[in-house]
């Protein structure tokens, strides 16, 4: 215990000099796949051989990540969530995977995942037990950090069940310091904000940024559009508090993408994808990659949307306003043209009244886009219909979009430089229309 307190002192001192965790990881929102939402804690491999949390499942998904093109598109983590370990530690306190479900051990599985060009993630809990009741890390931080480093783990989600919501912060900080000392860069995904918010405690975002590469802000996602809507609402209601803290190396995490499962229609799938992309969210899929339909797969592999999510500035977007029950969400991205950012803008319908619903918006008043003397308007690219030609909208003009019930439209608004043939600004031909 003394050792822990000493380490914590050093950690706090060392972290005082930097503003964020600098382990070189998660410079862009992490992308990959994760077991929890689709496969939960299924452990009966006799009854559910294709779904139980096991070496076979992870290998099957790793193979599909490559063969279905997800790795090429940027999804490179394959993460096991809860329910992988034995119910007891061994005599030395070391945690082992369940031997029936992981017959060759975790190092073997990590090697397999790495051999595919993918990264390997695992799950633990800061408290005495994981949420599903498996052994937690408490009192075993050093042993587990060493074990994970030996297995060559690349990502760890550390949950917050069976722990005190206030005290867990210093435990997370301590664990981060211990993991750092292993010398293996491991992406650190924390959960303490979600547990603190449940108890109406405002998380200390400065400590979060110094400690974690990403963190779950709020409730677990479930397989329904209403769950996506609730999380979306949390992010708009609280955006002035949480949005400023997201950025390269440290991200807010609204939880996994549920596209490809049972709960979302095609339109609702577009809605989750667009909002998560505006939020600069980690794009972690939790589905069975073997049964994702071609239309949904096309959404998940949409390179232009992925490029928005992965924009190098890493600025989380914001909810702007609601016009006739269509929410407008907006995120600044590159390129910047004459001091004006490009923006990704989503129109997210909360309407269920039958027909597609059209709204007409002003660029400046309704969308809050900037115009200056060098910018004559915006070229608008449809991110869900990437084969469509962009439309030009004048600075003082309006843009009309028609959104399907419960769905979303998503666009990239690129500033267009005024034609300056006789002007003083100078212009690159590529920017003029
Ligand atoms: C440990 O922390 C230092 C200081 O922030 C950092 O430079 C280094 O990359 C970290 N190492 C690992 C393995 O995370």
């Amino acid at each position: 215990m003394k050792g822990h307190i000493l380490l914590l002192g050093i950690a706090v001192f060392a972290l005082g000099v930097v503003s964020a965790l600098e382990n070189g990881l998660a410079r862009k929102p992490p992308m990959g796949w994760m077991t929890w939402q689709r496969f939960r804690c299924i452990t009966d491999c006799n009854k559910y051989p294709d779904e139980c949390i096991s070496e076979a499942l992870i290998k099957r998904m790793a193979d599909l990540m490559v063969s279905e093109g997800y790795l090429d598109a940027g999804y490179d983590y394959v993460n096991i969530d809860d329910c992988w370990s034995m119910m007891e530690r061994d005599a030395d306190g070391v945690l082992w995977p369940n031997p029936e479900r992981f017959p060759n051990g975790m190092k073997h599985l990590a090697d397999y995942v790495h051999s595919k060009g993918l990264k390997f993630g695992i799950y633990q809990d800061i408290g005495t037990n994981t949420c599903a009741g498996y052994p937690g890390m408490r009192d075993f931080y050093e042993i587990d950090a060493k074990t994970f480093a030996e297995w060559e783990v690349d990502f760890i989600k550390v949950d917050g069940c069976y722990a005190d919501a206030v005290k867990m912060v210093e435990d997370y900080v301590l664990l981060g310091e211990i993991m750092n000392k292993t010398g293996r860069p491991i992406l650190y995904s924390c959960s303490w904000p979600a547990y603190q918010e449940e108890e109406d405690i405002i998380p200390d975002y400065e400590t979060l940024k110094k400690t974690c590469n990403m963190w779950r802000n709020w409730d677990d996602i479930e397989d329904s559009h209403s769950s996506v809507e609730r999380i979306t609402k949390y992010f708009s209601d609280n955006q002035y508090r949480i949005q400023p803290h997201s950025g390269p190396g440290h991200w807010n995490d609204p939880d996994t993408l549920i596209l490809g499962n049972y709960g979302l229609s095609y339109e609702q799938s577009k809605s989750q994808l667009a909002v998560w992309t505006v939020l600069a969210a980690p794009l972690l899929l939790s589905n069975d990659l073997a049964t994702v339909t071609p239309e949904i797969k096309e959404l998940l592999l949409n390179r232009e949307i992925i490029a928005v999510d992965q924009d190098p500035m890493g600025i989380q977007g914001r909810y702007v306003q609601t016009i006739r029950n269509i929410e407008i969400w907006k995120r600044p991205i590159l390129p910047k043209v004459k001091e004006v950012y490009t923006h990704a803008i989503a129109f997210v319908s909360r309407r269920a009244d039958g027909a597609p619903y059209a709204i007409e918006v002003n660029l400046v008043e309704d969308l809050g886009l900037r115009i200056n003397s060098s910018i004559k308007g915006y070229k608008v690219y449809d991110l869900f219909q990437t084969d469509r030609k962009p439309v030009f909208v004048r600075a003082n003009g309006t843009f009309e979009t028609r959104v399907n019930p419960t769905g979303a439209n998503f666009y990239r608004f690129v500033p267009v430089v005024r034609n300056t043939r006789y002007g003083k600004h100078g212009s690159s031909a590529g920017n003029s229309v």
Side-chain angles (χ1 to χ4, degrees), residues 136-151:
M137 295 184 96
R138 185 171 194 100
D139 299 331
F140 296 93
Y141 296 153
E142 266 146 57
I143 292 175
D144 284 359
K146 183 164 169 280
T147 301
F148 297 150
E150 281 169 6
W151 289 347

Side-chain angles (χ1 to χ4, degrees), residues 90-346:
D90 74 9
D92 299 320
V94 175
L95 203 51
W96 294 92
N98 175 289
E100 275 95 55
R101 291 184 282 122
F102 296 90
N104 300 296
M106 279 301 180
K107 177 68 168 70
H108 162 88
L109 186 51
D111 287 347
Y112 183 87
V113 168
H114 290 149
S115 76
K116 300 274 162 178
L118 295 157
K119 298 172 191 161
F120 182 63
I122 208 156
Y123 166 100
Q124 245 295 14
D125 190 287
I126 201 72
T128 55
N129 289 87
T130 71
C131 296
Y134 291 76
M137 295 184 96
R138 185 171 194 100
D139 299 331
F140 296 93
Y141 296 153
E142 266 146 57
I143 292 175
D144 284 359
K146 183 164 169 280
T147 301
F148 297 150
E150 281 169 6
W151 289 347
E152 299 188 30
V153 163
D154 304 297
F155 179 116
I156 181 167
K157 172 181 167 187
V158 180
D159 217 331
C161 281
Y162 300 101
D164 180 89
V166 175
K167 198 190 163 298
M168 66 167 73
V169 175
E170 66 189 60
D171 292 339
Y172 273 102
V173 171
L174 174 62
L175 176 60
E177 184 63 15
I178 290 170
M179 290 206 302
N180 178 283
K181 289 205 161 49
T182 66
R184 183 170 179 84
I186 298 179
L187 194 157
Y188 191 15
S189 170
C190 299
S191 297
W192 91 69
Y195 288 87
Q196 295 201 328
E197 296 255 359
E198 236 172 63
E199 303 194 8
D200 294 323
I201 302 166
I202 302 290
D204 170 3
Y205 294 99
E206 296 310 317
T207 304
L208 259 179
K209 282 184 279 187
K210 291 170 193 164
T211 308
C212 312
N213 292 114
M214 56 188 266
W215 49 82
R216 282 283 311 287
N217 299 77
W218 204 54
D219 284 358
D220 281 4
I221 198 161
E222 295 184 346
D223 195 359
S224 71
H225 183 57
S226 58
S227 175
V228 171
E229 284 184 313
R230 279 195 302 275
I231 294 172
T232 302
K233 186 170 184 318
Y234 167 85
F235 273 82
S236 54
D237 285 352
N238 296 286
Q239 62 183 356
Y240 292 98
R241 170 155 64 84
I242 61 180
Q243 181 271 348
H245 303 294
S246 189
H250 46 93
W251 308 98
N252 289 313
D253 176 15
D255 209 358
T256 47
L257 288 173
I258 58 168
L259 283 79
N261 292 316
Y262 309 104
L264 299 186
S265 69
Y266 178 67
E267 294 304 324
Q268 294 162 354
S269 298
K270 290 198 290 188
S271 185
Q272 190 191 14
L273 185 61
V275 173
W276 263 231
T277 300
V278 168
L279 292 174
L283 299 180
L284 294 171
L285 315 173
S286 191
N287 55 21
D288 186 341
L289 295 172
T291 61
V292 175
T293 62
E295 303 79 56
I296 298 297
K297 186 177 146 188
E298 198 183 322
L299 290 179
L300 294 173
L301 296 181
N302 181 315
R303 302 296 169 120
E304 299 201 17
I305 291 179
I306 290 171
V308 172
D309 183 77
Q310 302 283 296
D311 180 76
M313 293 195 297
I315 299 173
Q316 179 176 326
R318 288 187 177 203
Y319 162 80
V320 180
Q321 64 162 319
T322 300
I323 297 178
R324 290 191 287 285
N325 231 357
I326 310 267
E327 293 177 9
I328 299 170
W329 289 75
K330 180 176 90 166
R331 174 178 174 188
I333 54 174
L334 293 175
K336 197 176 182 183
V337 180
K338 299 283 178 194
E339 299 307 309
V340 176
Y341 286 120
T342 297
H343 278 87
I345 299 185

